[in-house]
Amino acid sequence: MSDRFADAVASMPILQAMGIRLVEVGPGRAVADLPAEPNVNHFGVTYAGSLFSVAEMLGGVLSLATFDLDPDGELAGFVPLVKESTIRFRRPALGVVRAATSLSDDEVARVRRDALATGRGEFVLEASITDAQDEVVATTVGTYQLRRF
């Protein structure tokens, strides 16, 4: 995995303090682990805000891995933004949790076209957060946008 993606997480002190670790990053896919500590609440399960944060940040990481946002890239000057995000908690989470999301090749092509044509490319990501037993503990749906900045 490129240091560029780890650097993106490290550039946000709160994500670094949470101990988020990128597991898989590539075009159209992003996966991250969230350790139990320091992300537990007052009764010993994973804090809801930490679950939300690990899923939400996947949109930015996926954007960096999928769209050519480098200074000399096709989408230079664009940044990923989250416009809206919701979370559904399904059960308490214990231990390390994993958040994963993906975007289809067709959606990637559409977002790229829209961004180049209008200065904005909007997309929806669904993320699943699972525990060590591969049980879904939460799901998120986020609307993201590549936007010329």
Side-chain angles (χ1 to χ4, degrees):
M1 183 177 337
S2 169
D3 287 337
R4 168 177 100 156
F5 306 123
D7 289 347
V9 171
S11 73
M12 291 192 269
I14 190 65
L15 298 180
Q16 193 172 20
M18 292 169 59
I20 291 174
R21 186 177 68 83
L22 296 174
V23 175
E24 179 185 344
V25 179
R29 182 142 171 87
V31 180
D33 282 352
L34 176 74
E37 292 294 334
N39 299 294
V40 293
N41 65 15
H42 58 287
F43 57 93
V45 300
T46 306
Y47 175 59
S50 295
L51 291 172
F52 180 83
S53 294
V54 70
E56 183 278 327
M57 70 93 195
L58 291 176
V61 171
L62 181 138
S63 294
L64 292 175
T66 304
F67 302 103
D68 195 1
L69 304 179
D70 291 328
D72 298 322
E74 178 183 40
L75 294 172
F78 282 79
V79 296
L81 302 171
V82 62
K83 291 182 65 180
E84 177 181 34
S85 189
T86 60
I87 188 165
R88 180 168 184 231
F89 300 102
R90 297 180 176 270
R91 59 184 280 172
L94 296 168
V96 175
V97 297
R98 177 165 286 182
T101 194
S102 61
L103 193 62
S104 73
D105 291 343
D106 288 344
E107 256 313 82
V108 168
R110 183 198 58 78
V111 171
R112 181 177 281 114
R113 278 193 312 272
D114 289 354
L116 290 170
T118 69
R120 295 181 181 154
E122 194 167 290
F123 57 100
V124 174
L125 288 178
E126 295 179 12
S128 180
I129 306 169
T130 56
D131 63 15
Q133 289 72 44
D134 208 28
E135 294 287 331
V136 175
V137 298
T139 55
T140 64
V141 177
T143 303
Y144 295 82
Q145 186 179 80
L146 287 184
R147 188 172 190 164
R148 194 177 319 245
F149 192 67

